[in-house]
Amino acid sequence: ILSHDPITNLPNAVAITPQLRQLLKNKSPHYLALVKLTHLKLIDQNLGSQYANLLVREVGRKATSRYGEFFLGVFRFSTFAFVIPMDAQSLAKNHLKKLMGVLFHDDIELSGIPFHVEAHASLTKINHANNIKTLLRFAYTAIDESLKTSSDITLFKTELDNMRNEDIRFVALFHKGIKSKQFKIYAQPKVDLNTNEITGYELLSRWVHPELGFITPDHYVTKAEDSVAIHALTRYMITNGFNYFISHQLEHSNTQLAFNVSAMDLINKSFFKWLITFVENTNINKNLITFELTESAFMVNPKLAKKHIKLLAKLGLKISIDDFGTGFSAFSYLKDLPIHEIKIDREFITDISTTPRKQIIVKNIIFLAHELNATVCAEGIETEADLTLVKSYGCDVGQGYFWSKPTPLDI
């Protein structure tokens, strides 16, 4: 078995594991540091794998030349492992800060192109674990927390492992909930502000757990997006929503249905392949179906997001940008895309009649969206005053408690 990575020639897990096993056997009071390079995937996607490989190799060269005594090698291509020879937590953390400063303070130049390298790290006391599997679980749990919170360094604490176990339990409950149909589909009307007629509905999920009771999306969607669990929910919503559309012959009344598609759904190739196949094989008027996407997809993987949006539009589906104003909020990514609708987040609509700054923002979003030939939907309309104001700005569609709360569909 190769003990060195064939691309970077750096020691890999095969070489690192025996060293860690020996440290555990000796009950070492020192720390294991994992340092993970971020944005490598973006470099790989936009410039090619050769640049990503060169970058890892160069960081490895610096680590070996400056910290050869403490450098163990590389896990999973982009995660560097070090032993920090300090017993005290504060000393170990300061040592790791200095190490990261040496490795990443200056840009790394590759083929004449300067790269600013960013990294996140974890520190784990070696003698807190009783075996190699547990030690690495602790270390990776801490580095995941570091990435999640955008912290430079995260110290492993038992609470982090408890949270990880809770996340695993959540995913299991989530999948069980979908299989046993604990998730209910609710619909909220979208209203044409010129005719005051309902033109369609946005379909929303609600989790009714037999023990925990009614769970709103803000308590489970983000967690589901952090794992692959979100794909199962989106598949459940689209499959059942399409079946409802067909069985209730909504096509005859030109009723439109809108589905939320997560950023994680959009950039997951396996899920997207299922989505395209399902839509192509379903006998439905695709012009009456809208997929609502959040702006975060363009931040995670803009190239793939654009490609997939164009494929969806090619099938005849309508594309809506949901919660506009809370994320990326740049019209630059919209100009070349087939966007049919922009939904202004409720944060900008609530109390708009008494908030001049919100009025300026909303008025300009509506103007710019119309310049791009997109319709505008204002979410969260609750009062006559708010409705009157957004109508005066030329808003096309409204949604909110002013008309109706989301109500369950009989599926």
Side-chain angles (χ1 to χ4, degrees):
I1 301 173
L2 292 174
S3 61
H4 283 65
D5 183 270
I7 296 172
T8 63
N9 201 34
L10 295 168
N12 60 18
V14 175
I16 299 169
T17 302
Q19 297 178 70
L20 290 178
R21 194 170 279 121
Q22 189 60 48
L23 288 166
L24 283 164
K25 186 178 179 181
N26 297 339
K27 299 190 183 302
S28 169
H30 298 158
Y31 282 83
L32 169 65
L34 294 186
V35 180
K36 182 176 178 63
L37 307 185
T38 53
H39 308 315
L40 267 189
K41 189 177 279 187
L42 285 176
I43 292 171
D44 187 28
Q45 289 167 346
N46 293 303
L47 296 173
S49 59
Q50 70 272 25
Y51 282 97
N53 296 341
L54 285 170
L55 194 62
V56 174
R57 195 178 300 160
E58 180 58 19
V59 173
R61 186 195 64 76
K62 289 175 76 173
T64 304
S65 63
R66 295 298 297 270
Y67 296 99
E69 186 182 349
F70 312 120
F71 178 47
L72 297 173
V74 180
F75 282 113
R76 302 179 186 176
F77 184 65
S78 61
T79 303
F80 291 75
F82 299 85
V83 171
I84 306 297
M86 307 283 174
D87 300 353
Q89 187 181 93
S90 58
L91 291 175
K93 189 173 183 180
N94 286 335
H95 188 84
L96 181 54
K97 275 184 180 177
K98 288 177 184 175
L99 182 153
M100 291 175 71
V102 170
L103 292 180
F104 307 121
H105 180 270
D106 297 325
D107 289 351
I108 293 177
E109 192 168 300
L110 303 173
S111 302
I113 303 173
F115 289 89
H116 175 67
V117 183
E118 291 187 13
H120 296 276
S122 68
L123 265 179
T124 307
K125 191 90 166 176
I126 292 171
N127 60 16
H128 279 184
N130 53 20
N131 58 58
I132 189 80
K133 188 177 179 181
T134 303
L135 176 62
L136 290 177
R137 190 183 83 228
F138 287 173
Y140 275 109
T141 297
I143 210 165
D144 287 345
E145 183 67 14
S146 187
L147 289 162
K148 196 185 296 182
T149 59
S150 297
S151 305
D152 291 333
I153 299 170
T154 297
L155 298 162
F156 174 78
K157 297 175 183 175
T158 308
E159 305 90 86
L160 290 177
D161 198 44
N162 293 338
M163 286 167 58
R164 176 183 174 276
N165 291 334
E166 279 297 310
D167 288 344
I168 292 171
R169 181 173 176 269
F170 163 80
V171 171
L173 284 174
F174 191 86
H175 281 292
K176 185 180 178 182
I178 290 173
K179 286 181 181 177
S180 58
K181 296 187 177 180
Q182 294 170 13
F183 283 85
K184 307 302 177 187
I185 299 179
Y186 279 57
Q188 187 173 38
K190 297 175 75 171
V191 178
D192 185 319
L193 297 187
N194 292 314
T195 64
N196 204 34
E197 292 180 352
I198 294 174
T199 58
Y201 298 86
E202 178 184 359
L203 299 191
L204 305 159
S205 67
R206 298 291 185 266
W207 189 357
V208 185
H209 192 274
E211 295 170 13
L212 301 174
F214 192 86
I215 307 172
T216 54
D218 52 311
H219 286 95
Y220 61 81
V221 168
T222 302
K223 272 190 173 184
E225 285 184 326
D226 288 339
S227 71
V228 293
I230 193 65
H231 306 322
L233 177 60
T234 308
R235 189 181 289 115
Y236 175 86
M237 293 293 292
I238 290 174
T239 303
N240 285 288
F242 273 43
N243 289 341
Y244 183 88
F245 186 95
I246 293 166
S247 64
H248 286 72
Q249 299 182 337
L250 298 183
E251 189 172 325
H252 298 320
S253 58
N254 281 326
T255 302
Q256 301 178 41
L257 287 188
F259 298 84
N260 289 287
V261 176
S262 162
M264 297 302 106
D265 294 326
L266 187 65
I267 61 174
N268 182 283
K269 291 180 180 178
S270 175
F271 175 82
F272 192 78
K273 184 179 179 182
W274 169 85
L275 181 60
I276 290 290
T277 303
F278 179 79
V279 171
E280 284 180 331
N281 293 332
T282 304
N283 186 20
I284 197 170
N285 184 349
K286 296 169 182 64
N287 286 318
L288 295 175
I289 302 298
T290 298
F291 284 164
E292 297 188 4
L293 315 168
T294 55
E295 298 171 283
S296 54
F298 300 96
M299 300 171 72
V300 179
N301 191 334
K303 191 175 178 181
L304 189 60
K306 288 179 180 180
K307 177 185 174 183
H308 284 176
I309 283 173
K310 288 178 179 178
L311 286 172
L312 291 172
K314 213 171 181 179
L315 292 176
L317 300 160
K318 291 181 178 177
I319 305 298
S320 174
I321 301 299
D322 198 11
D323 299 336
F324 190 84
T326 59
F328 201 45
S329 302
F331 277 85
S332 58
Y333 73 85
L334 300 178
K335 61 182 172 56
D336 299 321
L337 288 173
I339 303 298
H340 299 89
E341 177 188 66
I342 289 172
K343 297 188 78 175
I344 304 175
D345 188 70
R346 67 183 65 252
E347 181 183 325
F348 296 100
I349 302 301
T350 303
D351 299 324
I352 188 175
S353 60
T354 57
T355 314
R357 282 181 175 273
K358 289 184 179 182
Q359 295 169 18
I360 294 167
I361 293 169
V362 169
K363 191 187 294 184
N364 281 284
I365 289 175
I366 292 170
F367 172 78
L368 289 168
H370 286 164
E371 287 294 299
L372 292 170
N373 295 317
T375 60
V376 181
C377 175
E379 295 185 283
I381 295 175
E382 296 186 4
T383 67
E384 185 82 48
D386 294 342
L387 172 61
T388 301
L389 201 59
V390 296
K391 278 180 72 174
S392 72
Y393 297 155
C395 188
D396 308 290
V397 179
Q399 191 176 340
Y401 286 8
F402 179 78
W403 294 280
S404 172
K405 292 182 179 181
T407 54
L409 288 185
D410 183 20
I411 292 182

